[in-house]
Amino acid sequence: MARILFVMTGADHWTLADGTRHPTGFWAEEAAVPYEAFKDAGHEVVVATPGGVVPTVDRASLAPEVNGGPEGAARIEKVLDSAAELQRPVRLEDVDLAGYDAVFYPGGHGPMEDLAVNADSGRLLTAALESGKPLGVVCHAPAAMLAAAREEGGSLFAGYRLTGFSNAEEAQAGFADRAKWLLQDRLVELGADYVEGEPWAPNVVTDRNLVTGQNPASSAPLAAELLKALG
């Protein structure tokens, strides 16, 4: 049995370019689907958030139209309701990577607000990448990579093949012209080799121990890759 750390946003809003607070949090599918996959495989999940706050689900991510219909939405909600770990997160500030076999970051717009500038998360990402342990990051969660800087300057993720929520998807979601910055642009600026797939289609990119997914549809295949890496 492996012990898998879920690093999740503690934010319940995303500040847009005009100062408006857009209600958000984590995206339901991106937490529920990997959680279910890991638990079904017999692994332990521990949730960590900044300050140990209980993570907020983006209510929009529970809608039937983004979950393949009412049945899909009900199933995702049932998984989240049964996930006791979500109600008792540990403080991200207190996490010691040595106690975990893999690290996973689900997305949603929340990480754009807090994890993108969280130094504790940045240090954890650095340690995870350098440890060789499986590190999975999906959708908007690669925003956390912005806080993982080398001591001598530059990004630890420079030169890595990776993906994340694309500019095209942000435009189709209606936020591209309202956001302070776009994730794809920032990942390219870090020096990463950004791999763009078709909007909303599964796209998982593996480079060394880093596994990234572009969008919600990528969460299931990304979880499968992490399970494979855990053996």
Side-chain angles (χ1 to χ4, degrees):
M1 182 183 77
R3 201 161 182 243
I4 302 170
L5 181 70
F6 270 46
V7 180
M8 300 183 67
T9 178
D12 61 5
H13 68 276
W14 176 34
T15 306
L16 301 175
D18 65 356
T20 304
R21 288 186 163 203
H22 172 69
T24 187
F26 69 89
W27 196 258
E29 180 181 1
E30 295 167 24
V33 170
Y35 174 87
E36 191 174 41
F38 298 149
K39 295 290 278 192
D40 285 352
H43 300 309
E44 179 186 355
V45 170
V46 176
V47 173
T49 62
V53 302
V54 174
T56 298
V57 65
D58 188 322
R59 303 306 301 178
S61 69
L62 297 172
E65 55 266 30
V66 296
N67 289 293
E71 284 185 15
R75 191 184 74 78
I76 291 289
E77 194 152 11
K78 184 179 179 183
V79 172
L80 293 180
D81 287 345
S82 69
E85 296 91 340
L86 288 171
Q87 299 305 315
R88 41 181 172 79
V90 301
R91 284 166 37 93
L92 177 59
E93 297 85 342
D94 300 334
V95 166
D96 180 358
L97 180 65
Y100 300 93
D101 302 292
V103 178
F104 172 66
Y105 277 67
H109 278 118
M112 302 275 280
E113 184 74 21
D114 62 351
L115 298 182
V117 293
N118 186 290
D120 295 298
S121 172
R123 282 190 288 273
L124 180 69
L125 281 172
T126 299
L129 202 64
E130 292 178 339
S131 73
K133 294 178 180 181
L135 171 61
V137 194
V138 69
C139 201
H140 284 93
M145 297 175 185
L146 304 180
R150 293 181 183 276
E151 284 183 20
E152 64 274 20
S155 171
L156 198 69
F157 292 91
Y160 273 81
R161 292 182 75 253
L162 52 79
T163 191
F165 205 65
S166 68
N167 290 354
E169 287 165 325
E170 204 70 87
Q172 291 176 25
F175 288 106
D177 58 353
R178 300 170 63 196
K180 289 181 179 178
W181 47 270
L182 298 177
L183 180 58
Q184 179 178 342
D185 291 345
R186 285 292 179 91
L187 294 175
V188 171
E189 287 170 13
L190 289 183
D193 179 7
Y194 179 86
V195 181
E196 182 175 359
E198 288 296 314
W200 314 110
N203 179 32
V204 174
V205 178
T206 301
D207 187 347
R208 288 156 276 187
N209 60 316
L210 176 66
V211 186
T212 51
Q214 181 172 318
N215 46 36
S218 305
S219 56
L222 186 151
E225 284 297 311
L226 289 184
L227 286 171
K228 196 160 58 175
L230 285 167

